[in-house]
Amino acid sequence: EWTDALASFVAEHIAADPRWDGVFLDNLWGGVSWVPRAAIDLDGDGRAEDAVMLDQRWQDGVRALLTATRARSRVGFLVTGNGDATYADLVNGILLEHFPSTTGGDWSASMRAYVRVLERAVDPVIAIINVNTKNTGVQDPRLIRFGLTSTLLGGGFYSFDFGDLEHAQRWWYEAYEVALGDPQGAPVRIMDVRTASLTARPISAAGTSGTESFALGVYRRDYAHGLVLVNSTAVEQRVKFDEEFELAVGADITGGDRRIVSEVVLPAK
């Protein structure tokens, strides 16, 4: 079977070579029924399987592949891939490609997948949010900033590049060099940005249930030397601080000088 063949290849030709730390497996999706050409007859009865059956069989196959790959590879060999959080317990991490609209869903669903990977993946965990130009080459400053700050709500890595036709860019932005220090706690959702204090009525970003987790809104996460704000809504948000801060995003992002502020206007996502 393909799962055995690929797992054996990885173990014998990649994991067995100490030059390689791990393997990246593409298309670790939670299902394939969304693919336009996914009308597949699995049992040979002349009829295509329904979406539920097709996705379940796909998941069974991917889990078998990941289980076999890890079992046959050396201890400490990293297994990562591109997809969502469906197989978080079997991998060291996932690349969430095309953020904020990934195979996991919209911003809220993608953030939930991101956190699940961070919480459930095998150590060491390598969760990556990838934002890109959709193969246009246009480096949108607001999109770059939105992806970076969303990533900083968790503990993963961030990349911004050309797109799925070429992920080879190493574009660098001054915002990457801001020395935030260590996180001082989990992110919080600001329930009422009209109040004078930014910390008014914060709730955990995890919410009270899976469906409420990372609902659209304004989020804050504090670091030792600064804070991160994310506006995931479709409207501009004006947020007031109860103290003053220096805007630390680079001039290449803002087009202006750094300045001290007591309130900020966050553009729509």
Side-chain angles (χ1 to χ4, degrees):
E1 292 186 357
W2 169 244
T3 53
D4 291 330
L6 183 55
S8 295
F9 178 85
V10 171
E12 296 169 10
H13 298 282
I14 303 177
D17 187 337
R19 291 177 298 177
W20 304 113
D21 294 320
V23 66
F24 183 95
L25 300 170
D26 202 4
N27 302 339
L28 297 185
W29 304 321
V32 292
S33 60
W34 57 272
V35 178
R37 297 183 298 276
I40 300 173
D41 177 10
L42 294 173
D43 53 15
D45 65 356
R47 294 178 297 177
E49 311 304 330
D50 62 32
V52 174
M53 175 61 73
L54 190 60
D55 288 345
Q56 186 58 59
R57 293 292 296 275
W58 173 268
Q59 288 186 23
D60 292 344
V62 173
R63 285 192 170 276
L65 169 63
L66 293 172
T67 300
T69 300
R70 192 167 292 284
R72 298 178 189 183
S73 300
R74 69 176 188 268
V75 175
F77 185 71
L78 303 177
V79 179
T80 64
N82 176 23
D84 54 37
T86 304
Y87 316 103
D89 58 313
L90 295 174
V91 296
N92 293 96
I94 286 291
L95 170 74
L96 292 164
E97 189 180 29
H98 305 307
F99 187 89
S101 298
T102 70
T103 55
D106 59 8
W107 183 86
S108 296
S110 296
M111 289 299 294
R112 289 194 292 270
Y114 175 48
V115 170
R116 281 198 295 272
V117 171
L118 289 170
E119 292 176 346
R120 302 177 187 178
V122 180
D123 285 332
V125 179
I126 307 171
I128 306 170
I129 284 181
N130 169 253
V131 182
N132 57 68
T133 73
K134 298 182 179 180
N135 305 314
T136 67
V138 178
Q139 300 176 53
D140 182 350
R142 286 173 58 178
L143 184 60
I144 295 167
R145 189 165 61 240
F146 184 64
L148 176 60
T149 51
S150 294
T151 303
L152 287 168
L153 294 181
F157 298 88
Y158 175 67
S159 68
F160 184 89
D161 55 35
F162 184 77
D164 55 14
L165 295 181
E166 185 182 349
H167 284 302
Q169 290 69 36
R170 295 187 294 174
W171 294 331
W172 192 259
Y173 307 99
E174 189 178 348
Y176 291 173
E177 301 179 14
V178 175
L180 286 172
D182 293 329
Q184 302 300 292
V188 294
R189 182 181 173 201
I190 308 307
M191 298 302 294
D192 188 354
V193 297
R194 296 169 299 176
T195 61
S197 172
L198 182 65
T199 57
R201 297 172 57 199
I203 64 169
S204 169
T208 57
S209 71
T211 57
E212 293 180 8
S213 165
F214 282 106
L216 296 182
V218 176
Y219 288 84
R220 167 180 178 166
R221 191 180 191 193
D222 284 55
Y223 283 78
H225 306 301
L227 60 88
V228 170
L229 293 173
V230 177
N231 174 20
S232 62
T233 74
V235 297
E236 180 180 281
Q237 300 279 359
R238 181 179 295 273
V239 183
K240 293 185 177 181
F241 298 91
D242 54 1
E243 54 188 312
E244 291 186 333
F245 290 95
E246 177 185 10
L247 288 179
V249 290
D252 62 323
I253 296 289
T254 65
D257 295 330
R258 293 186 174 95
R259 52 197 173 91
I260 305 300
V261 297
S262 59
E263 66 179 71
V264 293
V265 176
L266 303 175
K269 70 172 182 179

